[in-house]
Amino acid sequence: SGSEHLFALSIEDFVTEPLPLHGELVALGVIIMSVLQGQDHIVISELIDRLRLPRKLSRIGIDKSVLIKGFSNSLAKGIAKNRYTVLNEISNPNKVINDIFHTLNKNQIILD
């Protein structure tokens, strides 16, 4: 499991019915982790659009608070699965996800 998959699993812990599709959450995780790793999140978002996967939180069925809780819990998921990912390098996950959210929000990548 990569960080994107761990993120998806964590989000699923905080969402009630209807549960978003796991693959949609992984795609969102790919966008988030691309920002974290300094990759071109715009190009990655365009690819996700071409695949016709949702990238807007409202279309996926989650909000910012679930995004933050899920991201912050992703490292614990990785530790439980004995996985080492880029998440292990983060000392303050709440600050990191808020910074990522701001980056994605200013380009309207994940918000309407």
Side-chain angles (χ1 to χ4, degrees):
S1 310
S3 57
E4 300 84 359
H5 182 69
L6 297 170
F7 169 79
L9 291 172
S10 293
I11 292 290
E12 290 167 353
D13 287 345
F14 297 105
V15 177
T16 57
E17 299 297 325
L19 195 62
L21 295 176
H22 183 73
E24 293 174 350
L25 294 172
V26 172
L28 177 61
V30 169
I31 295 171
I32 289 168
M33 299 310 162
S34 71
V35 175
L36 180 63
Q37 297 177 56
Q39 298 170 349
D40 191 340
H41 64 278
I42 303 282
V43 170
I44 292 169
S45 297
E46 291 169 353
L47 174 63
I48 287 171
D49 286 345
R50 284 195 303 262
L51 295 170
R52 297 188 182 140
L53 292 168
R55 59 179 167 81
K56 304 283 185 172
L57 299 183
S58 62
R59 285 199 52 220
I60 295 170
I62 64 171
D63 61 20
K64 180 182 178 183
S65 67
V66 171
L67 178 97
I68 290 170
K69 287 189 278 190
F71 182 86
S72 297
N73 190 53
S74 297
L75 176 59
K77 287 278 186 202
I79 290 170
K81 290 179 155 279
N82 199 27
R83 303 288 196 278
Y84 185 90
T85 69
V86 66
L87 298 168
N88 292 79
E89 302 297 321
I90 298 172
S91 60
N92 187 345
N94 285 335
K95 180 185 180 328
V96 169
I97 190 57
N98 277 297
D99 291 347
I100 291 170
F101 184 83
H102 176 72
T103 297
L104 295 173
N105 187 30
K106 74 179 174 189
N107 294 317
Q108 294 185 319
I109 301 289
I110 61 173
L111 292 180
D112 295 316

